[in-house]
Amino acid sequence: MTGGMEQEKAQAAAWFEALRDEIVTAFEGLEASQTTGPTANLPAGVFARSETKRTADDGSDAGGGVMSVMRGGRVFEKVGVNTSTVYGELGAAAQKAMAARGVPGMADDPRFWASGISLVAHMQNPHCPAVHMNTRMFWTPHAWWFGGGSDLNPCIAYDEDTAHFHATQKAHLDPHGADFYPKLKEWADSYFYIPHRGRARGVGGIFMDDHCTGDWAADFSLTQDIGRAFLPAYRPLVEKRRNQRWSEEDKDTQLVHRGLYAEYNLVYDRGTKFGLATGHDANAVLMSLPPLAKWV
């Protein structure tokens, strides 16, 4: 797809794929090193990769990506790390939604390009927190911006784990300006709130959308540091909690919390709605849903 910023688009897409490969390698390393505990007798999980496709309304190819999913591992019950690069023309509903967010020129030229990485991990051990991370770049002929962040979703919360997760995010954001972390933390608290439950879905993190200062390199650098913060923020928590004993009550708490997570992603999440509305592979879009959940 042509239309401008081709070098920047390629650079962003390559970065998202490199981050995916780094995370996949790290998570498979956690699986291989899990040699004790109640799930050590399971085969070490490995990611299965498959291509995804987006089809335009006229049936033409409109990009796609790679879905990397691990199921039934020693540490991860289900984890997906997806990347995609899609393009084409936005339909009327998507144009209206973009225009409502202040994106100029949608009625005159509805072309778009988007690339990103999306990760959701659901854990075997209820003491290991679930987690979500994504970063992305979106382009139209009249605008471009970055978005994304990461947030922690423990079913059994530990204050020290929450503090570590947030401190690591802050350390990666502070070089870009002291105002970024408090702003993005507040944004995450607002975005990942579930109105019909009157509560947050987890213990927060950082989140931004429609981020464009006019300096592409600076905005891309910020987005990269959001991605770079993920493993040092999250992996130590898994390493600390993965051998912790759990009870049937703990497992039940985990399944109920997963129901809360599913409700949010299906009812409120902007990325889920956009992916399904624009014809992206439904299995990739719904990768975020947990393998098992329950409601009281």
Side-chain angles (χ1 to χ4, degrees):
M1 179 184 178
T2 60
M5 298 187 71
E6 300 309 311
Q7 181 176 346
E8 290 88 346
K9 292 175 186 174
Q11 189 176 350
W15 158 253
F16 298 136
E17 291 171 1
L19 180 60
R20 172 202 62 203
D21 293 343
E22 179 184 2
I23 293 170
V24 163
T25 298
F27 281 5
E28 288 184 341
L30 286 170
E31 284 288 318
S33 65
Q34 183 66 19
T35 57
T36 61
T39 59
N41 61 323
L42 297 173
V46 294
F47 281 89
R49 297 195 181 195
S50 58
E51 291 188 359
T52 63
K53 296 291 184 182
R54 177 181 178 270
T55 304
D57 290 342
D58 62 3
S60 62
D61 174 69
V66 174
M67 181 168 62
S68 304
V69 180
M70 179 197 302
R71 295 182 174 88
R74 297 170 179 171
V75 179
F76 299 92
E77 188 170 355
K78 179 187 176 185
V79 53
V81 190
N82 293 356
T83 54
S84 64
T85 299
V86 297
Y87 48 82
E89 292 192 359
L90 293 171
Q95 289 180 45
K96 184 177 180 180
M98 291 293 175
R101 287 166 56 186
V103 179
M106 295 307 304
D108 301 323
D109 192 340
R111 289 178 297 154
F112 83 99
W113 176 98
S115 184
I117 177 174
S118 179
L119 175 155
V120 176
H122 297 288
M123 314 304 290
Q124 292 280 18
N125 192 322
H127 297 283
C128 286
V131 73
H132 157 260
M133 186 275 291
N134 78 82
T135 58
R136 58 191 176 274
M137 175 185 168
F138 201 97
W139 171 94
T140 74
H142 301 284
W144 57 264
W145 64 88
F146 290 97
S150 60
D151 64 296
L152 199 65
N153 297 272
C155 66
I156 302 170
Y158 293 92
D159 290 344
E160 62 268 34
D161 292 4
T162 301
H164 169 82
F165 190 80
H166 281 275
T168 307
Q169 308 283 357
K170 184 177 185 300
H172 281 74
L173 292 185
D174 279 353
H176 299 274
D179 60 324
F180 272 109
Y181 170 74
K183 177 182 177 182
L184 270 58
K185 179 186 182 299
E186 182 179 359
W187 203 334
D189 290 341
S190 174
Y191 184 75
F192 295 114
Y193 184 79
I194 306 175
H196 69 268
R197 296 293 187 184
R199 58 159 293 179
R201 77 173 188 185
V203 295
I206 53 175
F207 179 77
M208 68 178 185
D209 211 352
D210 303 340
H211 181 73
C212 176
T213 65
D215 185 338
W216 186 89
D219 294 347
F220 181 46
S221 177
L222 171 65
T223 304
Q224 288 176 298
D225 277 337
I226 289 174
R228 291 187 183 108
F230 173 72
L231 279 175
Y234 182 62
R235 180 165 49 185
L237 307 183
V238 177
E239 292 172 335
K240 180 167 62 173
R241 301 293 176 191
R242 60 182 175 172
N243 287 324
Q244 195 165 334
R245 294 186 178 276
W246 74 77
S247 65
E248 288 300 318
E249 183 180 356
D250 294 334
K251 200 66 178 177
D252 189 70
T253 298
Q254 181 189 52
L255 295 178
V256 171
H257 189 271
R258 285 179 176 178
L260 187 76
Y261 195 93
E263 288 178 15
Y264 176 86
N265 281 32
L266 291 173
V267 177
Y268 300 110
D269 186 72
R270 184 182 292 175
T272 301
K273 293 179 178 180
F274 180 84
L276 294 176
T278 56
H280 196 55
D281 186 293
N283 289 328
V285 174
L286 298 174
M287 171 273 295
S288 61
L289 296 179
L292 294 170
K294 68 180 295 183
W295 284 262
V296 294

